[in-house]
Every structure is written in structure tokens, then in C-alpha cells.
């Protein structure tokens, strides 16, 4: 792990050590280069370099998007490519998937990182998403890796409270003696994108759950072709009533899979059970609708020419 920026700093002319004065902040008379970087970001950056255990996958602190983006910003600035790649890899292990298939896999293990999802030795960690850090880092750096995560970051940001969208979120404090680090606030244009996307996501949720409605198109072709009221038609009618009662459509989470709810509904009682072909048909429609939402995220948030 090296940085050509830090390497070249040692080529700068050094001051005459005999003329330096001792101060409270420099008791050893060392040459000091004052950095313009944010202090809270620099702490995470140094910890990632000097305390490798701080960055291990089995540490809860390693799953913070705030920490990862802080390291990414400074690793990019100081051209530490190895550290940049490691931090972006860990960030993608959070729910900031770059493909729909990865997002689907991530939903199956919501409390662990993607890299650790299949490891029985990895303990479950509650992850608090703070997508503002990723959005702001992407706005600043505009690197390919961060831009690929941007649509899903905006999607998660939209579900945050109106207060958070306008006032930002508090940065974490590693130690109380270090004081407050202030708040991470979205650019006004990005906050506007999130606010304007809310009704669009509700509409997308309605589209993604239309497969549970009373429509013969939601039955398998064989069952839909039957003239009389078949058991699957009766089951679909009850399914649509249950979906309305569960209020699956009126939310801003159209990417959320409802397969678990659907499977439970089909197994609760024989009268609710659709045939296997109809179940597979509805699941396929649900997945296709959600995948369409995924593919439309960039357009939904007007990210084609972002920022």
C-alpha cells in the first residue's frame, strides 16, 4: 500500500530543525504539512492504513458506508489505488448492488455483507444505511465504481425522512473527546430528486404488485383459458383481497420482493393455494416488474447527465 503523493512529500525541502520552536501541537519539533481534508474522513483513512483490524469483515464498524466513502475519497485523492479498490469492494458488499441479480441475493441476507452472506462463521450485523455519504462522494469524485452504485443509493435515500432529506444526517463520532463532526447534507438538487421520486416509486410499487390482482393475465395460460370458475380463479380472488389488505402497493419500496408473503399466503390454507404453474407465473411477473423498476432507476432519478 503506497501513495505517490505522500512519497513525494519527503522530497520537499526540510526546514532547519535548529530554528523550529516547540509548541503544544508539535512537541517533537517535526516538520508539519497542514492538510485541507475533513478531519473525520482523515481519521477513518489513517485507521484503514494503520489498524487493519478496523477494516475486517467481521467488525460491525467495517460495514458503514460513512467509513467506506471517507476512505474512498481520500484514497482517490492521494492515489492509493489498492486502498481505493478495497474500500469500493467493501462498499459494494453493502446493499449498494450494481446488478439486479446481486440485489436479489442481497435481499436474502439483509443483515450481513454480500461477501459474508454465505459464510456460517460470520455473525449477523445490523446495517444502518446512510446513502447520503455515497451520493456526496460520487458527486465529488464521479468515478466509475461509485457512479454504478448511484441509482440504488438514490433509491434508498428516497425512503429517508423529510427531515433527513433537508437537514442531513449526523456523522458518527469515534470518540467523545473529538467533538462533533457536523452533518452530512445532500446537495439541494439531489434532495429534490429524492423528494420528486417518492410518488414515482409508489406508482412503481403498484405496478410491481399488480401480479397479485384479480386479473386472468395473472393466471397461467392453461388456467386462464378455462371457462368456468376454476380453483385457481377462486384462489386469485382471495389473493387479491389479501394483497389489498396488506397494502403492498402504497409504499416507496417497489424493489422489495413479496415472494415470502406470497408463499406464506399460498400455504396458509388449501383454499388459498394456486396450482404450481400459476404460482410460478405470478412469481415471474413479480420479478419482471421489479427488474423493470431496477432498470428504470437511472431515468427515474434523472441521472443520465448527473450531476
Amino acid at each position: 500500500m503506497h501513495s505517490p503523493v505522500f512519497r513525494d512529500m519527503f522530497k520537499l525541502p526540510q526546514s532547519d530543525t535548529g530554528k523550529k520552536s516547540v509548541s503544544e501541537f508539535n512537541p517533537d519539533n517535526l516538520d508539519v504539512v497542514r492538510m485541507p481534508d475533513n478531519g473525520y474522513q482523515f481519521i477513518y483513512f489513517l485507521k484503514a492504513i494503520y489498524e487493519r483490524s478496523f477494516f475486517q469483515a467481521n467488525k460491525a464498524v467495517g460495514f458503514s458506508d460513512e467509513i467506506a466513502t471517507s476512505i474512498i475519497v481520500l484514497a482517490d485523492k492521494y492515489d492509493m489505488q489498492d486502498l481505493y479498490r478495497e474500500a469500493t469492494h467493501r462498499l459494494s458488499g453493502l446493499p449498494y448492488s450494481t446488478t439486479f441479480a446481486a440485489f436479489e441475493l442481497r435481499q436474502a441476507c439483509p443483515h450481513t455483507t454480500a461477501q459474508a452472506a454465505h459464510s456460517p462463521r460470520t455473525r449477523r450485523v445490523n446495517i444502518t444505511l446512510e446513502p447520503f455519504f455515497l451520493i456526496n462522494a460520487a458527486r465529488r469524485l464521479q468515478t466509475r465504481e461509485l457512479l454504478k452504485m448511484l441509482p440504488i443509493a438514490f433509491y434508498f435515500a428516497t425512503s429517508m425522512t423529510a427531515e433527513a432529506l433537508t437537514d442531513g444526517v449526523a456523522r458518527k463520532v469515534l470518540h467523545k473527546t473529538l467533538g462533533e463532526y457536523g452533518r452530512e447534507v445532500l446537495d439541494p438538487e439531489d434532495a429534490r430528486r429524492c423528494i420528486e421520486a417518492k410518488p414515482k416509486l409508489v406508482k412503481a410499487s403498484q405496478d410491481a404488485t399488480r401480479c397479485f390482482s384479480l386479473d386472468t393475465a395473472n393466471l397461467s395460460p392453461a388456467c386462464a383459458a378455462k371457462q368456468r370458475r376454476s380453483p385457481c380463479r377462486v384462489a386469485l380472488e382471495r389473493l387479491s383481497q389479501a394483497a389489498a389488505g396488506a397494502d403492498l402497493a402504497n409504499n416507496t419500496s417497489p424493489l422489495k420482493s413479496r415472494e415470502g408473503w406470497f408463499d406464506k399466503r399460498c400455504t396458509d390454507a388449501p383454499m388459498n393455494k394456486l396450482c404450481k404453474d400459476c404460482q410460478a407465473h405470478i412469481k415471474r411477473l413479480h420479478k419482471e416488474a421489479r427488474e423493470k423498476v431496477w432498470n428504470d432507476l437511472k431515468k427515474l432519478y434523472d441521472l443520465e447527465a448527473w450531476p
Side-chain angles (χ1 to χ4, degrees), residues 206-213 218 236 239 282-283 285-286:
Q206 295 169 354
D207 293 340
T209 55
R210 189 168 289 126
C211 57
F212 304 129
S213 65
N218 295 330
L236 182 62
L239 178 69
I282 288 175
K283 287 182 178 181
L285 292 176
H286 183 46

Side-chain angles (χ1 to χ4, degrees), residues 20 37 73 83 85 89 122 137 228 239 257-258 297 306:
K20 290 190 295 185
D37 306 301
V73 166
L83 188 57
R85 283 190 291 268
H89 176 68
T122 303
R228 61 187 182 85
L239 178 69
S257 174
R258 306 294 179 177
L297 283 180
W306 187 91

Side-chain angles (χ1 to χ4, degrees), residues 116-136:
H118 301 293
S119 174
R121 300 177 60 185
T122 303
R123 63 185 177 88
R124 290 166 66 87
V125 176
N126 289 323
I127 299 171
T128 301
L129 283 181
E130 294 172 340
F132 293 1
F133 293 96
L134 173 52
I135 294 172
N136 288 343

